[in-house]
Amino acid sequence: MPLTPDQFSKCLADETRARIALLVAGEKELCVCELTCALDEIQPKISRHLAQLRSGGVLADRRQGQWVYYRLHPDLPTWAVKTLKLMREAHSDWLAPNVSRLCGMEDRPQRCC
């Protein structure tokens, strides 16, 4: 069943989930450690919100060695991807502290090709 606007809105209704979705949309793929650094939150809280975004169909995950990476779900409707892109562009100042912490993170995990 395709993602509906109300389901998508519910997934993003929490500030932490909205920030996660926007960061992932901009970076293409992030792991839990990168999100905990960017959001300055504890791992269990980030993991709980990632699970909700996964079950809501907004994010998908993949395992590479010890890391689990999160990306926008490949079946996310075009309108939802465009909405995330527009939100990120329109509210870059709101997301700036998170992006800054992420960019300053040392020892970020390496992705495969």
Side-chain angles (χ1 to χ4, degrees):
M1 186 164 153
L3 183 68
T4 61
D6 64 318
Q7 293 168 325
F8 184 68
S9 297
K10 286 177 186 176
C11 283
L12 300 182
D14 178 86
E15 180 182 353
T16 300
R17 287 194 301 276
R19 287 181 187 274
I20 289 170
L22 294 176
L23 285 167
V24 169
E27 295 287 323
K28 307 301 181 222
E29 193 174 64
L30 291 170
C31 72
V32 176
C33 66
E34 291 170 307
L35 290 165
T36 57
C37 176
L39 296 169
D40 195 26
E41 292 286 355
I42 60 173
Q43 181 270 325
K45 179 177 180 177
I46 297 299
S47 292
R48 185 179 73 246
H49 286 293
L50 285 166
Q52 290 176 295
L53 288 165
R54 253 191 357 260
S55 68
V58 175
L59 297 182
D61 62 348
R62 72 170 180 91
R63 182 169 293 279
Q64 179 186 321
Q66 70 185 45
W67 306 107
V68 178
Y69 293 97
Y70 294 87
R71 64 189 185 287
L72 294 182
H73 196 286
D75 296 332
L76 196 62
T78 303
W79 64 263
V81 174
K82 287 180 180 178
T83 299
L84 289 170
K85 182 180 179 187
L86 179 64
M87 289 172 68
R88 186 172 165 100
E89 290 170 0
H91 300 287
S92 60
D93 56 333
W94 179 73
L95 203 59
N98 307 111
V99 172
S100 178
R101 278 193 294 273
L102 181 61
C103 290
M105 181 182 176
E106 296 181 12
D107 298 325
R108 287 178 71 177
Q110 298 297 312
R111 276 106 175 125
C112 67
C113 304

